[in-house]
Amino acid sequence: MTSEETAPGSIRPGGRTARVREAVLRAAGDLLAERGFAELDLAEVAAHAAVGKTTVYRRWGSATGLVTDLLVDMAEQSVARADTGSLLGDLTANARLVARTLTDPRQGRLFRAVIAAATCDEAAAAALRRFYDVRLTEWSPCVSAAVARGEAPEGTDPRAVLSAVSAPLYYRLLASGDPIDETVADTAARAAFDAVRAGTLVRNAAES
Amino acid sequence: MTSEETAPGSIRPGGRTARVREAVLRAAGDLLAERGFAELDLAEVAAHAAVGKTTVYRRWGSATGLVTDLLVDMAEQSVARADTGSLLGDLTANARLVARTLTDPRQGRLFRAVIAAATCDEAAAAALRRFYDVRLTEWSPCVSAAVARGEAPEGTDPRAVLSAVSAPLYYRLLASGDPIDETVADTAARAAFDAVRAGTLVRNAAES
């Protein structure tokens, strides 16, 4: 950041700094989705964003810096948790949201690219862990509300439940390649719900 | 392959061709685990394997060719399915095997590298899908035996069950970064078992 940008009162929400960040992260996301992390080039991102190359190098520094900030931005734009009044309803809403995200042409490729980046870059891996932490925390009240309603056993671990909902969809995206659709999402939600009802995802049972 | 290698009777199991392949795939796996797919260089693989560069280029052609053949080899070395006499026992054995593989320093990094390769390369993605196909097929009799014993509902989908066992472990490895241990593996097996018992993983319910 230049001293002008950091001077008190010079940054307003939606101001130049915010507009530059939005344009750069949009371009970085587009290029990541199109070609993957290995091909992410800061000069190309700057050109696509119509922003000076120097600005991009100064502010983000590297491809990893871009991926890290993109994940911060994705976490900020995370969809608020559902509140359908039932645990199965909330978990199904969560599973369908994840399924829609992973099957969206741009978003699905973008997730694969940032996950690939995280496999070979520790800073990107830390940013990815923070991203999932935000998502899992945002949706945790679905599980605590279910416990309060008596729908789930006392001590059910929200993070284990929400991970159980997402996991089969990510396994299809990244490993088996089996297709993802709404039926698959609904099954993932119901399987997690079954495990909750059986008491398998109670904190002591779910963690070492 | 040279004509000499393809001449009838010239290839014996454990012969030169097999030894070269073993050395090259071992070196490719070591380098992938160490540095990831983006850095995989055929000349370096040849040097590490003490095999002529020309042989490696002629036989495998590209980094993708190496990853593809490595996945074929990994599928061939796939551990035989468990037969403990109970579905929960078999699923627990499967989950612990996956957990041990993913937490093994070399194997865990190798899996992350081939999965990263598959996100940006269609041939590697196809090889990865075949690899999981072999693994899921190898372990499917655990589920059909459970159906025959009356432990699982008629029509339970073996692939859905085994995917459900592996998925939470892969989600931790690739997305949330949460640690993987034996307790986590046992919980993954039990959660899949709960879903089986509830009838959620019956074929019609599990597939669109």
Side-chain angles (χ1 to χ4, degrees), chain A residues 87-97 165 182 185-186 189-190:
Chain A
L87 180 59
L88 183 59
D90 287 356
L91 298 184
T92 301
N94 183 261
R96 289 184 180 184
L97 172 66
V165 171
E182 201 166 87
D186 292 357
R190 183 167 278 281

Side-chain angles (χ1 to χ4, degrees), chain A residues 194-202 205-206, chain B residues 186-188 190-191 194:
Chain A
D194 296 337
V196 168
R197 300 290 289 180
T200 297
L201 301 181
V202 165
Chain B
D186 291 358
T187 300
R190 182 166 281 278
D194 296 336

Side-chain angles (χ1 to χ4, degrees), chain A residues 40-76:
Chain A
L40 191 65
D41 177 69
L42 268 64
E44 202 176 0
V45 170
H48 275 248
V51 163
K53 215 160 61 174
T54 318
T55 302
V56 174
Y57 278 99
R58 197 178 50 214
R59 184 149 169 201
W60 286 276
S62 65
T64 297
L66 276 172
V67 168
T68 302
D69 198 29
L70 186 63
L71 283 163
V72 169
D73 186 59
M74 285 161 72
E76 282 161 4

Side-chain angles (χ1 to χ4, degrees), chain B residues 96-174:
Chain B
R96 289 183 180 186
L97 172 65
V98 173
R100 275 198 306 276
T101 303
L102 300 185
T103 54
D104 175 84
R106 180 180 186 272
Q107 291 279 92
R109 285 201 301 260
L110 181 55
F111 271 88
R112 299 208 298 170
V114 295
I115 287 167
T119 65
C120 58
D121 187 298
E122 194 31 58
L128 192 70
R129 286 196 295 272
R130 281 195 302 275
F131 169 78
Y132 285 105
D133 210 49
V134 168
R135 297 262 279 219
L136 293 167
T137 304
E138 166 69 31
W139 283 73
S140 286
C142 297
V143 178
S144 28
V147 172
R149 283 191 304 260
E151 260 196 291
E154 199 66 48
T156 298
D157 180 9
R159 195 177 175 97
V161 178
L162 293 161
S163 296
V165 172
S166 283
L169 307 172
Y170 278 85
Y171 183 77
R172 284 169 180 258
L173 180 78
L174 298 164

